[in-house]
Amino acid sequence: MGLDLYILIRTSTVTTLTASSITTSITIITTTTTTTTTLHADATTTEAITVEPKDAVRLFGRLAEKYIMLDSSGGMCCYSACSDCEYRLPDGGYIMADQSAARPKWIPSYDERKFESSGKEHVTAWSTDIFTDGPAVTKEDFVERVRNMEYNPTLGGPFLSKSGAGIETDESVAVVGKMFDILAGEKEKLTKHRMGKRIKEIAGGEEGLVWSSFIAALTE
């Protein structure tokens, strides 16, 4: 007579039965276990993230400033309508020397700038608050130092009060990490020089990065 044996495999271990004097029909039933892993965003993640405007403005409000020096020549133009002046615009116009706003509007593309003729000088917050102990930072240092920078409500982007602008959630921390990746590229460290250069590139050659270009870079 025939004998059917049913073996239920619950793990990866397979049990083998031998029958010497009977005809054996073996039916193997397997079960599949699905494991779901939840990944939390952190400063080092390289996966695509969804950037919410309020998380982006938390970052913008730390890097942007109310004042910017727009003339990269450092005020060398004498504004006397010289026809061959190398410091004038291609169309013959003048570069506005500097500009101010009621609230932070620009992330300057320079770390510091001086106008010798007028005695003006501007040192940017990002250059002093991020690069505190040298000309380069790791991603972890960048994220931590940006989180500790002072936030102020900005011109551009959704309004966010100072009291509600902490960078505490996984999502908001990940936005800061993404900005590091945008600025540093494939490099493990971001230098002060490269940060200024990349800000100007993202700004389309302008001396300061405004909200519209900032959020476009984060969400593209």
Side-chain angles (χ1 to χ4, degrees):
M1 65 179 183
L3 175 64
D4 292 335
L5 298 180
Y6 293 85
I7 303 174
L8 177 62
I9 307 297
R10 295 188 181 275
T11 67
S12 59
T13 303
V14 177
T15 304
T16 303
L17 297 181
T18 60
S20 58
S21 59
I22 60 176
T23 301
T24 305
S25 174
I26 300 177
T27 301
I28 299 178
I29 302 173
T30 60
T31 60
T32 302
T33 301
T34 301
T35 302
T36 302
T37 303
T38 302
L39 298 178
H40 295 280
D42 59 29
T44 60
T45 184
T46 57
E47 295 184 5
I49 63 170
T50 299
V51 177
E52 297 295 335
K54 281 197 173 183
D55 287 330
V57 86
R58 285 179 165 86
L59 173 58
F60 189 70
R62 285 168 164 78
L63 300 178
E65 305 199 24
K66 298 179 182 179
Y67 176 75
I68 189 171
M69 288 184 165
L70 299 170
D71 182 4
S72 60
S73 75
M76 294 298 293
C77 182
C78 65
Y79 300 96
S80 298
C82 304
S83 60
D84 60 346
C85 178
E86 63 181 295
Y87 303 115
R88 294 177 68 179
L89 296 170
D91 63 1
Y94 292 105
I95 300 172
M96 184 179 293
D98 54 2
Q99 197 170 358
S100 298
R103 291 187 289 181
K105 180 180 179 180
W106 309 273
I107 302 176
S109 62
Y110 54 87
D111 56 344
E112 62 178 309
R113 185 165 285 175
K114 297 179 181 180
F115 288 176
E116 298 290 349
S117 59
S118 61
K120 291 183 178 180
E121 179 179 0
H122 181 216
V123 179
T124 59
W126 64 257
S127 69
T128 56
D129 292 352
I130 296 175
F131 301 91
T132 57
D133 54 6
V137 292
T138 63
K139 189 172 185 176
E140 291 76 14
D141 287 340
F142 179 87
V143 171
E144 186 59 29
R145 291 171 189 178
V146 167
R147 291 177 68 185
N148 290 329
M149 291 179 71
E150 181 181 4
Y151 168 87
N152 288 290
T154 64
L155 284 177
F159 177 80
L160 194 64
S161 67
K162 201 165 186 175
S163 61
I167 300 177
E168 305 295 341
T169 65
D170 287 347
E171 292 78 12
S172 59
V173 171
V175 170
V176 183
K178 183 172 184 178
M179 177 52 66
F180 177 92
D181 294 337
I182 292 171
L183 296 172
E186 300 298 322
K187 305 291 186 181
E188 292 186 359
K189 289 188 176 183
L190 173 65
T191 65
K192 185 186 295 187
H193 172 75
R194 181 175 176 82
M195 181 164 175
K197 181 180 178 181
R198 286 291 292 132
I199 288 173
K200 190 165 186 175
E201 289 173 352
I202 298 167
E206 299 293 333
E207 296 300 318
L209 180 60
V210 295
W211 169 257
S212 57
S213 298
F214 176 82
I215 190 63
L218 278 172
T219 55
E220 67 178 7

